[in-house]
Structure formats: structure tokens, C-alpha cells
Amino acid sequence: MTSLPQPSDVKLGLVIDLDICVGCQACATSCKEWNTGGYSAPLSDHDPYGADPSGAWLNRIHAYEVTTDTASKTVHFPRSCLHCEKPDCVTVCPTGASYKRAEDGIVLVNPDTCIGCKLCSWACPYGAREYDHDDGVMKKCTLCVDRIYNETIPEEDRVPACVKACPTGARAFGDLGDPDSAVSRNVAARDGFNLLDEFGYEPVNKYLPPRFNSVTPDQVLPAPSEPVPASNGSAIENLFAWVDRALSAKG
Amino acid sequence: MSQSEPKVALNDPVGDEMKQTTCYMCACRCGINVHLRDGKVRYIEGNRDHPVNKGVLCGKGSAGIMQHYSPARLTAPMKRVGPRGSGQFEKISWDEALEIAGGWLGEVRKRDPKKLAFFTGRDQSQSLTGLWAMQFGTPNFAAHGGFCSVNMAAGGLYTFGGAFWEFGDPDWDRTKYFILFGVAEDHASNPIKIGIGKLKNRGAKVVSVNPVRTGYNAVADEWVGIRPGTDGLFVGALIHELFRTRQIDLDYLIRYTNAPWLVIDDPGAADDGLFARDGDGNPYVWDTTTDRLGNGASVAPSPALSGTRTLPDGRKARPVFELMAERYLGTEYAPETVAAQTGVPAEQVRRLAAEIAHVAFKEEIVLDQPWTDWAGRRHEKMIGRPVSMHAMRGISAHSNGFQTCRMIHILQILLGTIDCPGGFRYKPPYPKQTPPNLLPHGALQDIKPEMPLGGPHLGFPHGPHHLLLDGDGNPSRLDKGFSWDAPMSAHGLMHMVINNAAKKDPYGIDVLFMYMANMAWNSSMNVGGTLDALTATDESGEYVIPKIIYSDAYYSETVPFADLILPDTTYLERYDCISLLDRPISEPDMVADSIRHPVVQPDRDVRGFQEVLIDLGARLKFPAFCNADGSPKFPGGYADYIVNHQRKPGIGPLAGWRGPDGDQVGVGAPNPEQLDRYIENGAFFGHHIAPEHAYFKHANRGYLDWAIERGIRLSPDPTVFQLYCEPVQRFRLAAQGHGDRCPPERARDRILRAFDPLPMWYPPFEGTMIDETAFPLHAITQRPMHMYHSWGSQNAWLRQITAENRLYIHRDLGESAGVADDDWVWLSSHLGRVKCQVRLMDGVNRDTVWTWNAIGKRRGAWGLDDDAPESNRGFLLNHLISELLPKGGGGYRYSNSDPITGQAAWFDLRVAIAKADGAGATEPFFEPLGTGGQAPSPTRLAYGTDFRRPAR
Amino acid sequence: MHPAYSVILFTTASGAGYGLLFWIGLAEAFGAMPGGRWIGFAMLTVALALITVGLLASTLHLGHPERALGAFSQWRSSWLSREAVAAVVTYIPAGLLWLVWLAGVDSGATPALGVAAAAGAGVTVYCTGMIYAALRTIRQWHRPVVPVIYLALASGTGALLLGLMMALAGFAVVWTLFAALVSLTAAGLLKLSYWQQNDGDPGRYTAEMATGLGHLGTVRPLDPPHSMPNFVMREMGFSVARKHALTLRRTVLICLFGGPLGLIVLSMFTPYDAGFMAIAVLAAGIGVITERWLFFAEAEHVSMLYYGAARA
Ligand SMILES: Nc1nc2c(c(=O)[nH]1)N[C@H]1C(S)=C(S)[C@@H](COP(=O)(O)OP(=O)(O)OC[C@H]3O[C@@H](n4cnc5c(=O)[nH]c(N)nc54)[C@H](O)[C@@H]3O)O[C@H]1N2
Ligand SMILES: Nc1nc2c(c(=O)[nH]1)N[C@H]1C(S)=C(S)[C@@H](COP(=O)(O)OP(=O)(O)OC[C@H]3O[C@@H](n4cnc5c(=O)[nH]c(N)nc54)[C@H](O)[C@@H]3O)O[C@H]1N2
Ligand code: SF4
Ligand code: SF4
Ligand code: SF4
Ligand code: SF4
Ligand code: SF4
Ligand SMILES: [Mo]
């Protein structure tokens, strides 16, 4: 089990648009909510009303500032398991509890066989695995495997909880193995990229880059579109002269 | 592949039951599907069919489970047994609670109704609470709008009969250029996010004007990191550029605005600056086709926009447009002039103005949609100028917010972008008339024991004659609303109630009755002072505010300061009504309203506050809540009221499924099955507007007629945009000594300065009254998207995201103040100082510091441990914000508010920063509150364990 | 990386135990074991006890120790599984040897059992080392020298123990001391080179690569996802101040290498003094625990790039 399966044709994953994400945390809390009662139930919390509240979350939102000498940008940055193609988090697992599904590439932990050794979390460069101290097993993004195929859910809602909740539409779910899927096409069009590509785990999830702001979009011309006719009156006189002309032209 | 994969249960049903209702983790009011398993909430998701959220949910809404099961929930009515603030309570029965409340209230109503102050906070049932207060007969009622965003509501309503937020939306599907002023989250939480997502996906340009670059402002294509309180200058400069480059929609101005109306130019006269009117009260314009005075209220073919004209009485008058052009073309609004104060380079202003004008005029949208205007003229097309704007508290929470808000609307109007394709769109029942024709009630002369008030408390004065003053010209209302301190305070001034009551200024009260507002903490200015006011005693040792009744659902900081607690249900346990009579959930294309209904049963001895109000109304024998024989009119409680109450014949709280057969919309007899219909439809009602009525609603004949038919509009006349606001001028004339109602001497300068009928900028008050060199910085707050004021911190999931707050400062400021990330600093204002930790950032205006709002908590509240980060490192700016301005000339201390509307000026705050030694905890430190007998909170949570699938 | 005490105890105790087992096995194989079977039996008991205590300790940090059997299944890919298998397999020859000595049956099989046990011990420790060395996420660990250091330290600490016990039993077995000298010297040199390698390696990965935002500028965190540290931050984000680390490295050099080496030499020249050896073992114990603590504490995990680390 722990060995990786042959790469599947279907590669289900998420595409996250950093140009749109406003950091609202909807995906994080809806993920928590779905999964605490779903495949990974429960996602425990420690000291929930005390000094050091923490718990198991499968999706977390960072905020970064990216700066050059002349420009700077704030980027909200959701991070969850990327369902890598070649992840050691699967191969290091001594029990086979950590596995990549042959059928769709989803990386899962079997909560019934995981011994909670945490080694898989050490092998993940993305910090995407979260040990549940209460439950004694490793938890991670399941790509909402219990939603996306679930025939008791209306078809249009068979998407991960985080995708359904995301109010800005910054998250999309689909088959990144199919170059014609909507997600793949968007990744191609927007220069989607892998996180830490250099590491070589070949993440399935893709990120779309933020546009660098403070530039003028193409469709807008920065110069006044109508040259102001030179004249020697005061600004107000000129304005009224224009108004008169404009109105009588119409009249 | 030696082993086979484990079998995963892919088709487990979500729950055993799904019920649809309306979220209330915030005032956005999204539709939700609540999935239940074994009677417990399993999952809450957005309702795809719902007009507000269309299936999505925000960070708060998705954490509803933890809100609903919060350990801080109150469990039973309580009466105070220790001193105020001690948190010593005794649980009592509802019978006893209602008897006590009824006794206290009945006594006041019999003797002197004004001695009740009834103020409601984050409330969505103002049509009921307002009615209740009217029936009681006290003048002292308002909701929280005075400290929230009345500047936006009033600024918009007086100008164009609508406003941002629930009164309108940008045309998200068509706009090509969007400017967002001073918004971190806003009430339209999900709609704005959906909208911004659409714009970004379409490649429309998003410009953010905000001192801070986070959230929506982070994804903007251009960030204008303006200095707080100076937007009026920035917008003025944009207008200056539009005038200078002659990029103005003149047709639009003539058709829909008072730009051609003639203003009397007769300095010193009692009607100087008012509109010149004919004998029937119609405004004059100068008709260039006839070269004579014409009627501005009729279809003037070709009115002049400039030129001094002579009136029949020989005096001079000038059109509004000319006055405007003079004002904004003046050098005070030139981009170069405003650059230093706003921090926005002149270059950038000029470019932005050019971009806006280009999109408005060169990229216009033409819809092949014929429509007919108010005067019966048929138009073959709908022409859109796809520039839109939205603004909120960054504009409104300043003492110049009313004028700034008006200026933004004027910018929209000059571009011709109000209710056109791609522009700003009204949501029904808006637009209303300008000025709105709802007037305030509650002058002291009209207050009589056991007598209902003659009309609603809150309204929109047209001049001094509509103020609520006593015989000596003093305020009638405890909050001094509709007095010379805040003449156009359309939402009251909730932030002044407690402090005024404690000072008996203008008078003392007997009972303070509050609902859903955490006034002993994050929603008060000057928290320490407010706590003193709540606990102040007189010579005999009695509390100066003798009795306090409070309804909360949770053990908030305010609960321990009340004498009688009426514990409310959670939002999943009660009926609620989101009504067109109040703050509806309509969309531009759809009139809509909605309900909440109990989807889980309370496991505690709690009751919906509205049930309690209706019960009290019947006990106190209010005419509207009793039958002729004295029996309760709504024995079925709030559900009964929602269905059967009629404001006017055929018009009730809900617009959907009216009439005996349930087929009438808006107007119709009560339908006993109405609530069932709502529940079947996902707890909301929506009625689409015909495409030919979708735009230009202010002047669209079809729409106006339709709206009257549906009972959502009173007048068939178009709404005329008031570039020039005559009511404001009336107050200014009074300050010049005209008329029989004039402000006291001390108020005259202030009114003369701020009450300008044409929007202008003046510096926010606090900065002008303190030593700016001692407090060189601006301090503001932002709402975190995942926290709703103080409610969020009891939520085990949300508080993990933010359990403490930092003071964010610019890197350069950090360097000059010698502080690094996480260092402790003292932040001080003219009122006091707060100790907090800093975080350095780039995306903030250099002269501004900010923090997340309402994260700081007082020890003892919200079911949190005493060592919770919220109360040890979390802090409030509210300790620094004074509810009163420093003493001005004459020694009188005005409320720290907008002088026109009374809107609390939270963001005028000026501060200084200094490094604090060592670490430690935040200050000021308040003693832990007693716990009110609440059960201790659990030390670990594994919610969902019950839902775990059996191991296979 | 967070230094979990159970893991430190496991790797050091079982490391020493396997080292001891290794030398006992070899001694038996080459007939270099002095004294009668009871000596061998006693020492083997100590070795097995250390191994067993260590292994038990390692299960302490498991969330579900009762499922530990499952850990034997993935030897094809998982070094942890291989280690588990090797550990258990090693018990077979070691246990048989122990039984033989206990029962006192004179069997010609003991040298073979000794070789097998020694090999098992070596393989097990190598697997332990490879658990760490295989992790690409932690550059300090992902070095070929890491399993070698594990082997050398196991060997050194095992030999020290052996030397002590011999001395206690009154035998003067020079080779044990030489074994300890050589292993510890090797371990010391390897460790120095390990530190040098790490100090000279700033890390290949940057926050810009982790976020993919490098083309926009320098990436700095503004807000972490949650106010309080989460599992990943606590587990992978543990770090030790450079100054503190240097002090601890010095402690390791003195307690684990310099001290014991000197004491061994001393004990050679005094008549194999048990006292010196006892001090050496004690010092090495402190030293190896410190070494192991530092091994974790100085290790930096790539995931911390998301939490403020500039490089990893
Ligand atoms: N510094 C600073 N201060 C500010 C602001 C700012 O921007 N900066 N913003 C101001 C603004 S705009 C506002 S609106 C105020 C908001 O301030 P508040 O209106 O005081 O908001 P909350 O703190 O949420 O308090 C609402 C109370 O309602 C209670 N409650 C929650 N749910 C229910 C329920 O179902 N039933 C009942 N009966 N009670 C319930 C909560 O427990 C809480 O005690 O804060 C103001 N304060
Ligand atoms: N998640 C969440 N949603 C909420 C609430 C909540 O507590 N949490 N509260 C609700 C309530 S009661 C309200 S009133 C709304 C308020 O919603 P918002 O209007 O978004 O209110 P704030 O978060 O106070 O944001 C004010 C913004 O104005 C900026 N600002 C401050 N001063 C200036 C200025 O002078 N000029 C400009 N241009 N910008 C300025 C601040 O940086 C900040 O971004 O949100 C509602 N929605
Ligand atoms: S992101 Fe981490 S946990 Fe997920 S597959 Fe990749 S390596 Fe494994
Ligand atoms: S924690 Fe569980 S899933 Fe991860 S490696 Fe250990 S056994 Fe496998
Ligand atoms: S796919 Fe499901 S499990 Fe993964 S982050 Fe989204 S909601 Fe969480
Ligand atoms: S829900 Fe969407 S917008 Fe909000 S943080 Fe997640 S990805 Fe970003
Ligand atoms: S915005 Fe969020 S919290 Fe507010 S009503 Fe909608 S889902 Fe609920
Ligand atoms: Mo508000």
C-alpha cells in the first residue's frame, strides 16, 4: 500500500487563485466543520476556551507581504495537502495507513490503521499533515472524498466543502490529469504553478499567481481621453462655455 | 501494489435531516442548509437558491456549530444579587422575570415614559422593537446605527434616496471599474466577496482607497493608502479633475438631479441658499429654450446649468451646477493641493480620474432594453457607465463622514453611474424620496403617560422645525438625537445613552433596557468611563441608572452589569423576520425577505427576545399588542405576530405569499400558512423585477408604479438626486440667526462650518482639538472577516484563528520608534493609554496604526479562562477613544461624533506610540468579571466523535 | 524539529543496546568473550533490556501503540517499517543466544547466533539512521553520514558499556576499550564533519519557492494562520538558539567524545579501573542524550518556510 501506485490518469485536486483570495477563512472553517463529522471525524481541539487553543485543521490560511524596493503586495495564501504525485509522506508510512488512491490520486490516511507515529508529517515539505493528539492518528485533507462521489448529495454540490464555501470563487476542484478540464485550462491560461516545485513531489494542486497591482489594466488609458481645449478664460468660464456648447449641440 | 486499498465510505448521508433557515453569525443574513444527525448539528452549508449568498458561506457562518453549542450560552433568566459587575446572579423563572420587567416598565410608563431608554444593538427586528417602543411612548429608542454607519445611510438617503450596503450594490455583473472606499468586510459579507471574485475573474479594475492593505484591499489592482479622514479631499480632487477635463454626464445631471435648480443668492436673507420656488413650491430652473424661469419638477426641455438669473422678486439666483463647479474647481480641491494631506500623489489622482472618465464615457454599456421614464418618455436603450463604487465605515466613522459620503455619491452622479448598467444599483424598496419623507417623533411635549408615540422615533429632518427639542430648545431625547448637537441623527446616538443617563444630561432615567449590544465593552467609546457610568451611585448609594434590563444570548461583558437578564435563544432556535419594513435582503433584481425558524429546540430555559417583547407588550396593555378585551393579540408569539401583524391594511412584516390564497406579493391579507410557504421555499421569498424595471429605478415609470402597487414606495414622483442638500442649508440659516428655532450660541460656529449644502471637506474634529504634534498618528480598527464583533471569541474554531491582536504599524514607523515585531508599546491618546504588542507591515499608511476590532476581551466573559490570550494580550482601541470631544470654546463637550448625523467618530482617533519596557500583559487591566454561575467550559473538544463512521 | 523525549530515549538506549549486542555477538563469534556463560548472559541481558526499554519508549510517542503490529507491513518502502522488522528479527538470534546461555546447553550454534545478532543490531541501527537520513524535508538529516553516525555512536556507546561491565566483572579486555576508542573517535570526527556540513549549508529552499511568489519580491509573513502554534509549528518549528546550540555542541564534544576517550585511556593505564569506566559511561550517556537532543533541535524542516523561515 505504502508504495505509490502507478500514476493514475485522473488526478483530482484543487486550484487556488491567489489573485482573488481575500483571506476570509471560509474554506478553513468549512473544512473543519465538514471533516470533524466526516471521514476524519473528529478533528479535535485542545484547550478550546483557554490559554492555548489549538486543534487539527486540514486547511490553513496564511497572509504574506511580498516586497521589492519599489512595490509591495499582500497575498492571502490558503494551504492544504497538495495530493502530490510522488510524495514521501506515503512511502515513509510504516503501516500503510498513508496511501495514494490508485483511482484518482487522492492521498489519504486510513484512520483505522494509522499508529500515529507522525513520520509522514515529517516527510511532507508543505506542513500539510496534522496530528490529532486526541484521536491519536494523523489527519490531512481528504479532498473531501466523502463528498465528491457522494450520491446522497446533489450533484452540483459534490465538490469539497472548501470549494463550495469559498465566497470569492478563489478555489476550484477538478481533474488536473485531464488537460481539457476547466481547471487544467485555467491553470494553463493563468500560468498556474506548483508550490516548491524544486522539491520534486509533483503536487497535483495548483496555485494561480496574483497579479502585481498598481499597474494600469490594458483597457484603461491613463491620459485624459478628451483633450482639454486651450483657452484663455478661467477654468470655470471654460467649463461653462463647454457646457453651453455641449447642451446646445444636443438641443 | 501488493495490498488493496481500504474501502472508503463514499456515500454516507450528510445527516438524517436537513432544514433551511437564515444564518445569523452576522447581519449579512445568508441562506443556510442545516444538516442534523441525531438531533445534533452535523454541517451547515450555504443555500444555493438564496439571493444573498447563492450557496457560499463565510468563515463565520461555517463555524456556526461552535456558536450554537458555545459554553457561554445563557441558560435561564437571572436577577442580580451582588453589586453590578460582580457577576453574582440568581437564576429565576420566566414568570418571575417577566413580572419584574413588567413591573418596572409599567411603573415608568405610568409615571413618565421618557424615563425608559430602550436601545437595541445588532438587531434585525427594528420594525418590531420600534413599534414596541412607540407603543410604550418613550422618546428614547434607537438601534445601534448611530455608532455604526448612519453617515452612510443618511448621506445616501438625503442625496439619492438610496445608500451603499443593503440599499444598493455595485452592478457586479457589468461594472468595469470599481472603487472601494474604507471597507474591510462590511455587512454584505458574502455578496461583496462574490462580487469581487466576479470582477477579478472578468479583469475589471478594482481600486481600493484604504489606509490598510489587507483582505479586499489586498486583491485590489490598485491600492490608494490614504491618510484617514481625508477621503473628502481625495474625492474632491477627482471631481476637480472631472470638471477640469469636462468629463461629466450633463444629460444625466439635467434629467435626474437638481443641478439646474436655482439657488437664491441673497446673503443675509432668511432664505439665502434655499431653492428658488414658484407659488406651488416647485423649484425654478432657467429654461434656455424660452429664456424664462421654468419648473424644475416638470420636464424642462433644456435648463441652463450656469448663469446668474433674476427671480420674479428681483433677487438673484444661480443654478446648483454653477455653485458646484465653483467649489470643486477651486484650488482647495486641486490634486496638487490635497496631495500632502491625503498622502496621495497628484499624479495618481489625475491618472485615476482619467481612468474613471475613460471607462464611464468611452466604454459605456448599451443594453437593448427599452424602458419608459417617469415623464412617459420612451428610451430604446439602457445606457450604462460601468464605473461603480462602494464605501462604508472608513468613510462613515469620521466626524466629516456625512459630507464625505455625499461627495462620493456626487462623484457617482457626475459620472452618471447611479442605477445604470455597470454602475451602482438600488435594491428595492430603495430608492426612496429625497429628502426622505419619514420624520422623527418624540418631542417632549408629545410624551404622555400611558400613551403611544404619534409616529416612529427615527426619521430625516428637513430643517430645524423637525428637531425634537423641549420648550427651551434642549434635547428631548436622552441621546440628544435630533437636537442641535446632531440635528440629522437619523439613527439616534446609542453611544451616548449610558454616559448621558449617568450624568443626567439632559435628564436621568429609571430603566435602561438593552438588547444585543455589548455596551460594557467593545461597542462603547471610553470603556472605563462607561463602566463607571453603569455603576455610578448617588448620595444615597443607589445606582444613578436605577434598573438595567438586558437581553443577551451569551455571557458577554455587559451581562454582569445588568439587574435582570432575559436570556435569548441562538439563531438556530428561534423565529426571526427579515422584513422589507426594516433591513431587507433584496437584490437589485429582486425584492426579497426571509425568516428564521427553530431548526433545533433549545435545551435551556431561554426564550426568543421577540417573544418576550410581545409578551411584555401584552402585559403592559399596549394597544398594538392587545385585543379590545385586553387579551394578548398574538398568543402564538412572534410567529403569530410575523404572520398577522399589519402595519397598514394588507402590509405586514413579510411580503411573500400574502392573501387568503397565498398568491399576493407585497400587499394582501394575512395568510395563516405564510410561514409554511417560507419554510418550504428555503426560508426566504424572492420576487424578480421585470428587466425593463431593472435600472433607472429612481426615474423608471414602470418601476415606480410597480413599487407603489407592491406597497414599497409611497410617491409616484421620481427621486431627484440632491447634489445640493437644502435641509442642510436650513440648519445653516438657523445658525445664522434666521427663523424661530436657532441653535445656542456655542453651536453656531460648528454648524456654520459643517452644514454646507454642497459637500466639502473639513478636518476631523479630534485632530483639530488636540495637540497634533503630541498625537501625530491616526489609529483605526478593521473587522476580521472571520469574527463578528465580540461574538466570535466564544467560538472554539474562530478563536483559534485569532485569539489575540497586534497593533500593526508601518515598518518605517517601527524603525523610528525603535520597535520590532512582538515588542510591547504604549499607545496613548488624549483619553488614556493601552499597552499592546506590535507587528510591522508594509501595507499601511505611514501615519496610521491599526488593529483588529473587538478581539480584546475582559477576563471572566464569554466562557473563556482567565488566562485566555484575548484578555492578556488582546486589547481594544476603545479605551483610547473618548465619547466626548475635548472642551471647545465655551467649555461644552460635544459627543465625539459627526456634527450632522451624530455618527460616532471611531476613526478620528489620534495617538502616539512609545516603546514599553519588558513584556507582560495588556493594560488597562480590569478585574475579572464573576462568572454568573455559568458552568465551566470544557478543556477539550472532539466535536463529531459521535458522527464517526464505524471502523471497518 | 521537536526533540521528543521518547524518541531520544529510544534512539540512545536502544542504540547503546544494539551496540552492546553487536560487540557481544562479535565476541561470541570470535570466541573473544572472557569468563563463563553467565558473564555473557548478564551482558546480553543488559543489551536486550536497553533495546527493549528503548523500543517500548518509542511506542510511547505513538498515538495508537496497540496497532503497532501494522508497522511491520511496509518494509518495502518505509525505513521505519524496516527498522521494526529488523528489530524484531534481531531478537531471534539474540534471544536464542540468551536462552542458550540461560539454559547452559553447550551448543555449537552460539558463534552463528552471535554473528546473526551482531548483524541484526547493525542493520537495525542503520535503519534507524535511515529513517532520518531519508527525509528530504530536513537538510540536516538528509546526509549519507547520518546513518554512519548512528552506527558509530551505537557501537561506541555499546563498547563503552561492554568495557564497563568487563571492568566491573574484573576482566581486562583490551579490545573492548579499543573498540570504544575507535568508534567514539570515528563518531566524534563524523559528528564534527556533520556539523561543519550543516553550518555551511544555508538550505536550498526559500520562502519564495515555497509560496511561488518569488517573481514578485521577498516574501515575509504578515499573519500566521492561527494565533497559537499548531502541530506542525510545534513539531517542525522547534528551534534552538545558535549560542545555546554551540554550548550544547561543546557539551557533546566533552561528554561524549573527549571525556570518555580520555577516561578510557586513563583506565587503560590504571589497571582497567571500573571507576573511570563508570564515569566515562555516565559522561557518554549525558553526551549522547545531548547529541540526540541537538540532532533534533538543530534540524530545520522545509515546512517552516511557510511560517517565517527564509531558507530551509
Ligand atoms: N474601536 C472600535 N469600536 C467599535 C467599532 C469599531 O470599528 N472600532 N465598531 C462599532 C460598530 S459599527 C458596532 S455595530 C459595534 C458593535 O458592537 P455590538 O453591537 O456591541 O456587537 P457585539 O460585541 O457583537 O455585541 C452584541 C451582543 O449581542 C449578543 N448576542 C449575540 N447573539 C445574540 C442573540 O442571538 N440574541 C441576543 N439577545 N444577543 C445576542 C452578544 O453576546 C453581544 O453581547 O461596535 C462598535 N465598536
Ligand atoms: N466579519 C465581520 N463582519 C462584519 C462585522 C464584524 O464584526 N465582523 N460587523 C458588521 C458591522 S456592525 C459593520 S458596521 C460593518 C462594517 O464593515 P466595514 O465598513 O468594512 O468596517 P470596518 O471593518 O470597520 O472597516 C473600515 C475600513 O475602513 C478603513 N478606514 C479607516 N479610516 C479610513 C479613512 O479615513 N478612509 C478610508 N478610505 N478608509 C478608512 C479601515 O482600514 C478599514 O479597512 O461590518 C459588518 N460585518
Ligand atoms: S502535500 Fe504533503 S501530505 Fe500532501 S501529498 Fe504532498 S507530501 Fe503528502
Ligand atoms: S502517522 Fe499514521 S499515516 Fe503517518 S506515517 Fe505514521 S502510521 Fe502512517
Ligand atoms: S478538500 Fe476537503 S479536506 Fe481538503 S481542504 Fe478542502 S474541505 Fe478540507
Ligand atoms: S474561502 Fe476562498 S477567499 Fe476565503 S480564504 Fe479560502 S480561498 Fe481565500
Ligand atoms: S456572511 Fe457569514 S456569518 Fe454572515 S450571515 Fe452570511 S454566512 Fe452567516
Ligand atoms: Mo456596525
Side-chain angles (χ1 to χ4, degrees), chain C residues 65-79:
Chain C
E66 81 286 0
R67 299 177 182 167
L69 267 185
F72 298 105
S73 64
Q74 303 304 315
W75 47 269
R76 282 195 209 79
S77 70
S78 164
W79 284 104

mmCIF file of all heavy atoms in Angstrom, chain C residues 65-79:
data_model
loop_
_atom_site.group_PDB
_atom_site.id
_atom_site.type_symbol
_atom_site.label_atom_id
_atom_site.label_comp_id
_atom_site.label_asym_id
_atom_site.label_seq_id
_atom_site.Cartn_x
_atom_site.Cartn_y
_atom_site.Cartn_z
ATOM 1 N N PRO C 65 -0.417 2.734 20.084
ATOM 2 C CA PRO C 65 0.576 1.677 20.232
ATOM 3 C C PRO C 65 -0.047 0.293 20.027
ATOM 4 O O PRO C 65 0.632 -0.625 19.566
ATOM 5 C CB PRO C 65 1.088 1.833 21.666
ATOM 6 C CG PRO C 65 0.336 2.957 22.284
ATOM 7 C CD PRO C 65 -0.546 3.578 21.271
ATOM 8 N N GLU C 66 -1.334 0.189 20.331
ATOM 9 C CA GLU C 66 -1.958 -1.130 20.217
ATOM 10 C C GLU C 66 -2.042 -1.612 18.777
ATOM 11 O O GLU C 66 -2.294 -2.773 18.508
ATOM 12 C CB GLU C 66 -3.343 -1.120 20.888
ATOM 13 C CG GLU C 66 -4.503 -0.535 20.070
ATOM 14 C CD GLU C 66 -4.492 0.998 19.945
ATOM 15 O OE1 GLU C 66 -3.579 1.647 20.494
ATOM 16 O OE2 GLU C 66 -5.401 1.551 19.276
ATOM 17 N N ARG C 67 -1.829 -0.667 17.847
ATOM 18 C CA ARG C 67 -1.865 -1.077 16.445
ATOM 19 C C ARG C 67 -0.459 -1.292 15.876
ATOM 20 O O ARG C 67 -0.287 -1.413 14.669
ATOM 21 C CB ARG C 67 -2.533 0.008 15.602
ATOM 22 C CG ARG C 67 -3.972 0.303 15.970
ATOM 23 C CD ARG C 67 -4.466 1.448 15.080
ATOM 24 N NE ARG C 67 -5.821 1.829 15.400
ATOM 25 C CZ ARG C 67 -6.396 2.946 14.959
ATOM 26 N NH1 ARG C 67 -5.705 3.759 14.190
ATOM 27 N NH2 ARG C 67 -7.640 3.227 15.282
ATOM 28 N N ALA C 68 0.538 -1.318 16.792
ATOM 29 C CA ALA C 68 1.920 -1.261 16.322
ATOM 30 C C ALA C 68 2.275 -2.394 15.370
ATOM 31 O O ALA C 68 3.177 -2.255 14.546
ATOM 32 C CB ALA C 68 2.881 -1.246 17.511
ATOM 33 N N LEU C 69 1.580 -3.507 15.483
ATOM 34 C CA LEU C 69 1.854 -4.633 14.592
ATOM 35 C C LEU C 69 1.851 -4.221 13.127
ATOM 36 O O LEU C 69 2.610 -4.736 12.315
ATOM 37 C CB LEU C 69 0.797 -5.720 14.794
ATOM 38 C CG LEU C 69 1.128 -6.818 15.809
ATOM 39 C CD1 LEU C 69 0.049 -7.875 15.794
ATOM 40 C CD2 LEU C 69 2.493 -7.416 15.476
ATOM 41 N N GLY C 70 0.961 -3.299 12.833
ATOM 42 C CA GLY C 70 0.830 -2.845 11.443
ATOM 43 C C GLY C 70 2.142 -2.294 10.910
ATOM 44 O O GLY C 70 2.366 -2.253 9.694
ATOM 45 N N ALA C 71 3.007 -1.858 11.802
ATOM 46 C CA ALA C 71 4.240 -1.206 11.372
ATOM 47 C C ALA C 71 5.224 -2.167 10.737
ATOM 48 O O ALA C 71 6.259 -1.760 10.231
ATOM 49 C CB ALA C 71 4.884 -0.494 12.559
ATOM 50 N N PHE C 72 4.934 -3.444 10.787
ATOM 51 C CA PHE C 72 5.865 -4.384 10.148
ATOM 52 C C PHE C 72 5.545 -4.589 8.676
ATOM 53 O O PHE C 72 6.267 -5.265 7.963
ATOM 54 C CB PHE C 72 5.807 -5.738 10.862
ATOM 55 C CG PHE C 72 6.225 -5.624 12.293
ATOM 56 C CD1 PHE C 72 5.297 -5.659 13.318
ATOM 57 C CD2 PHE C 72 7.566 -5.446 12.612
ATOM 58 C CE1 PHE C 72 5.690 -5.519 14.625
ATOM 59 C CE2 PHE C 72 7.965 -5.305 13.932
ATOM 60 C CZ PHE C 72 7.034 -5.346 14.941
ATOM 61 N N SER C 73 4.482 -3.981 8.232
ATOM 62 C CA SER C 73 3.985 -4.363 6.910
ATOM 63 C C SER C 73 4.674 -3.658 5.748
ATOM 64 O O SER C 73 4.683 -4.171 4.649
ATOM 65 C CB SER C 73 2.477 -4.112 6.855
ATOM 66 O OG SER C 73 2.233 -2.721 6.995
ATOM 67 N N GLN C 74 5.254 -2.494 5.966
ATOM 68 C CA GLN C 74 5.661 -1.703 4.799
ATOM 69 C C GLN C 74 7.166 -1.661 4.586
ATOM 70 O O GLN C 74 7.730 -0.657 4.165
ATOM 71 C CB GLN C 74 5.090 -0.280 4.940
ATOM 72 C CG GLN C 74 3.597 -0.256 5.095
ATOM 73 C CD GLN C 74 2.880 -0.951 3.955
ATOM 74 O OE1 GLN C 74 3.214 -0.753 2.785
ATOM 75 N NE2 GLN C 74 1.914 -1.794 4.284
ATOM 76 N N TRP C 75 7.815 -2.780 4.859
ATOM 77 C CA TRP C 75 9.269 -2.803 4.748
ATOM 78 C C TRP C 75 9.759 -2.524 3.343
ATOM 79 O O TRP C 75 10.886 -2.162 3.121
ATOM 80 C CB TRP C 75 9.792 -4.158 5.250
ATOM 81 C CG TRP C 75 9.003 -5.298 4.661
ATOM 82 C CD1 TRP C 75 7.898 -5.879 5.196
ATOM 83 C CD2 TRP C 75 9.245 -5.931 3.405
ATOM 84 N NE1 TRP C 75 7.421 -6.845 4.371
ATOM 85 C CE2 TRP C 75 8.236 -6.903 3.257
ATOM 86 C CE3 TRP C 75 10.209 -5.786 2.400
ATOM 87 C CZ2 TRP C 75 8.161 -7.725 2.142
ATOM 88 C CZ3 TRP C 75 10.141 -6.604 1.286
ATOM 89 C CH2 TRP C 75 9.120 -7.567 1.158
ATOM 90 N N ARG C 76 8.859 -2.643 2.370
ATOM 91 C CA ARG C 76 9.307 -2.390 1.012
ATOM 92 C C ARG C 76 9.717 -0.930 0.815
ATOM 93 O O ARG C 76 10.611 -0.626 0.066
ATOM 94 C CB ARG C 76 8.193 -2.703 0.015
ATOM 95 C CG ARG C 76 8.030 -4.185 -0.255
ATOM 96 C CD ARG C 76 7.172 -4.340 -1.507
ATOM 97 N NE ARG C 76 6.427 -5.565 -1.470
ATOM 98 C CZ ARG C 76 5.320 -5.732 -0.781
ATOM 99 N NH1 ARG C 76 4.812 -4.745 -0.080
ATOM 100 N NH2 ARG C 76 4.698 -6.887 -0.790
ATOM 101 N N SER C 77 8.979 -0.036 1.465
ATOM 102 C CA SER C 77 9.279 1.370 1.205
ATOM 103 C C SER C 77 9.689 2.158 2.451
ATOM 104 O O SER C 77 10.310 3.200 2.337
ATOM 105 C CB SER C 77 8.055 2.049 0.583
ATOM 106 O OG SER C 77 7.039 2.153 1.558
ATOM 107 N N SER C 78 9.328 1.661 3.615
ATOM 108 C CA SER C 78 9.445 2.524 4.788
ATOM 109 C C SER C 78 10.598 2.099 5.686
ATOM 110 O O SER C 78 10.650 0.961 6.158
ATOM 111 C CB SER C 78 8.135 2.467 5.584
ATOM 112 O OG SER C 78 8.322 2.966 6.874
ATOM 113 N N TRP C 79 11.539 2.998 5.920
ATOM 114 C CA TRP C 79 12.656 2.693 6.815
ATOM 115 C C TRP C 79 12.172 2.433 8.220
ATOM 116 O O TRP C 79 12.784 1.668 8.963
ATOM 117 C CB TRP C 79 13.676 3.823 6.800
ATOM 118 C CG TRP C 79 14.511 3.821 5.556
ATOM 119 C CD1 TRP C 79 14.405 4.653 4.495
ATOM 120 C CD2 TRP C 79 15.566 2.902 5.246
ATOM 121 N NE1 TRP C 79 15.325 4.332 3.522
ATOM 122 C CE2 TRP C 79 16.056 3.249 3.966
ATOM 123 C CE3 TRP C 79 16.136 1.803 5.914
ATOM 124 C CZ2 TRP C 79 17.085 2.557 3.340
ATOM 125 C CZ3 TRP C 79 17.178 1.129 5.295
ATOM 126 C CH2 TRP C 79 17.648 1.493 4.013
#
